Amino acid sequence: MTFTTGISPFRIDIPQSALDDLHDRLARTLWPDELPGVGWSYGIPVSYVRRLAEYWRSGYDWRKHEAELNEYPQFTTEIDGQNIHFLHVRSPEPDALPLVLTHGWPGSIVEFMKVIGPLTDPRAHGGDPADAFHVVAPSIPGFGFSGPTRETGWDLSRVARAWAELMSRLGYERYGAQGGDSGSVISPELGRVAPDQVVGVHVNGALGFPTFDPAEMEGLTEAEQARMRLYADDDRSGYAIIQATRPQTVAFGLHDSPAAQLAWIVEKFKEWTDPAHDLPEDAVDRDQMLTDVTVYWLTRTAASSARLYKEGSAQWGVPVERSEVPHGVAVFPGDGGIRRVAEREHNVIHWSEFDRGGHFAAMEAPDLLVDDVRAFFRKVR
């Protein structure tokens, strides 16, 4: 890998013409038909997307959320030929532990807006200042303001190597890693890439791409059996197969139609958020969800973010070298973590299961996620 070492301040400043174009395209959407009475079983309902799109066009205020994002220090740097955008929020506590947070798809740095404050400044949020972190939250190459990618080869392992270089470039010689979704693969891989620097890895969801040996499945709890069945659910994995095989083809619709981009992402918020809620906005803040979608739209990264699946699909289910870096796992409703599976390839010293929240834990249950991250890293600081 070759690197340049320059780090430049960055500020989000979307031209008004791009917002006007978004609103115009939403107003001119050609809506598909739909069957009566099928709910979400054929995909996201047209009636639901129309309502959400109209709010996105006429009620949602990008400038408000752009300003909120810009309250956090942001930077860009080039690593291995790729532009990398990241938030870098230093704690006021001098002994804070650096922590790199990694999102997944269809997430972004927007996911972390409710956890950055409590993680960096626990004293101001009713916590113990000894639990403080310096937070580094990069946008994965190909996603948001780190996109698009310009060459093949940006798989999850290469992202982890880039994170190791980023943390070194920031002067951090000892740090933790946390992530969900793709971040739950990148973060453990970072521990393998830089085991002498990574003091611990915390993920929400499952660790890596688990495979199941029938001989090991005896004695699973009912909850674990239900989680195992998730991996055989074709309804949940269809999007991944499309993005892992034809990311360029699906991108034509996603790049041309904001309604298509909205539907493609929000369907995942319906499927992956806490199953106790009927609609995505019952589980997550509607504006935060739309800010996430808007970042994808305004940065034109539907294609390059989908390519992460194409680049990484060869490693799905492939065993990896066991990591002795300490790992912690937080399992939220609807996620697939099974401890005995995770322990095959990871040194799991902390395991939590929750009855509230879901796949987008930093958005759905930020209090539970923050508390669990703090509890895990107390063991390894």
Side-chain angles (χ1 to χ4, degrees):
M1 298 172 69
T2 57
F3 303 106
T4 58
T5 57
I7 295 177
S8 302
F10 179 83
R11 183 175 177 83
I12 303 170
D13 186 13
I14 299 299
Q16 185 59 42
S17 60
L19 302 178
D20 293 342
D21 176 71
L22 167 62
H23 297 155
D24 180 60
R25 287 171 182 264
L26 286 169
R28 294 185 296 108
T29 300
L30 295 175
W31 297 102
D33 70 328
E34 63 181 332
L35 294 171
V38 299
W40 291 72
S41 63
Y42 279 64
I44 191 168
V46 177
S47 55
Y48 175 77
V49 180
R50 290 190 77 150
R51 290 195 304 272
L52 191 58
E54 178 55 29
Y55 173 73
W56 194 17
R57 185 186 71 83
S58 61
Y60 170 80
D61 183 359
W62 164 259
R63 293 300 185 200
K64 172 186 174 183
H65 300 289
E66 180 184 67
E68 290 174 350
L69 287 167
N70 281 329
E71 290 177 4
Y72 299 103
Q74 300 175 62
F75 304 88
T76 59
T77 191
E78 183 180 308
I79 300 178
D80 199 14
Q82 175 65 33
N83 176 65
I84 303 293
H85 162 264
F86 61 98
L87 307 183
H88 185 197
V89 187
R90 295 273 300 177
S91 172
E93 305 297 338
D95 295 327
L97 177 69
L99 179 68
V100 56
L101 299 179
T102 306
H103 63 84
W105 185 93
S108 66
I109 57 163
V110 174
E111 285 185 66
F112 303 129
M113 295 301 100
K114 293 181 178 179
V115 301
I116 290 175
L119 289 174
T120 57
D121 194 1
R123 188 191 303 269
H125 292 81
D128 185 344
D131 288 326
F133 298 93
H134 301 305
V135 166
V136 178
S139 299
I140 295 173
F143 288 68
F145 301 102
S146 284
T149 45
R150 303 294 184 187
E151 61 181 3
T152 60
W154 274 102
D155 60 11
L156 300 171
S157 295
R158 188 173 176 183
V159 176
R161 295 194 299 272
W163 280 193
E165 168 61 20
L166 175 61
M167 296 303 277
S168 174
R169 195 171 293 184
L170 292 172
Y172 293 138
E173 298 178 352
R174 184 177 182 273
Y175 52 88
Q178 200 285 328
D181 195 85
S182 299
S184 71
V185 184
I186 295 168
S187 300
E189 186 63 19
L190 178 56
R192 292 183 175 90
V193 169
D196 295 332
Q197 286 73 46
V198 177
V199 301
V201 174
H202 181 281
V203 305
N204 50 287
L207 275 166
F209 299 113
T211 57
F212 301 99
D213 180 347
E216 292 182 302
M217 297 302 103
E218 294 182 8
L220 288 179
T221 67
E222 185 175 328
E224 289 172 330
Q225 292 176 30
R227 291 177 204 148
M228 187 175 66
R229 288 192 292 271
L230 294 175
Y231 294 98
D233 186 346
D234 290 341
D235 277 353
R236 289 175 64 94
S237 61
Y239 82 98
I241 301 303
I242 291 173
Q243 296 197 152
T245 57
R246 298 294 184 269
Q248 193 62 51
T249 303
V250 72
F252 285 93
L254 302 180
H255 277 247
D256 191 57
S257 168
Q261 180 72 93
L262 179 70
W264 190 242
I265 289 179
V266 171
E267 183 189 59
K268 299 304 124 190
F269 277 89
K270 161 63 175 177
E271 291 188 348
W272 297 347
T273 50
D274 191 331
H277 297 295
D278 291 332
L279 294 174
E281 63 266 33
D282 297 333
V284 300
D285 179 83
R286 179 174 61 173
D287 272 20
Q288 190 180 17
M289 179 173 67
L290 285 174
T291 300
D292 180 67
V293 177
T294 307
V295 167
Y296 278 83
W297 174 259
L298 294 175
T299 58
R300 298 293 190 265
T301 50
S304 58
S305 61
R307 287 197 289 267
L308 187 69
Y309 286 73
K310 178 73 170 177
E311 300 289 354
S313 60
Q315 298 304 312
W316 293 357
V318 176
V320 295
E321 176 187 355
R322 178 175 172 81
S323 173
E324 295 303 331
V325 172
H327 284 67
V329 180
V331 182
F332 291 87
D335 275 334
I338 300 172
R339 182 161 190 167
R340 69 174 68 172
V341 175
E343 287 177 336
R344 277 196 230 132
E345 300 172 341
H346 308 87
N347 175 22
V348 178
I349 68 165
H350 175 94
W351 189 274
S352 301
E353 299 185 9
F354 298 98
D355 59 8
R356 167 170 69 85
H359 188 74
F360 301 94
M363 298 173 69
E364 298 180 69
D367 56 330
L368 298 181
L369 181 63
V370 167
D371 284 348
D372 203 66
V373 169
R374 290 172 176 170
F376 166 69
F377 280 102
R378 284 184 204 125
K379 300 176 181 180
V380 298
R381 281 179 180 262

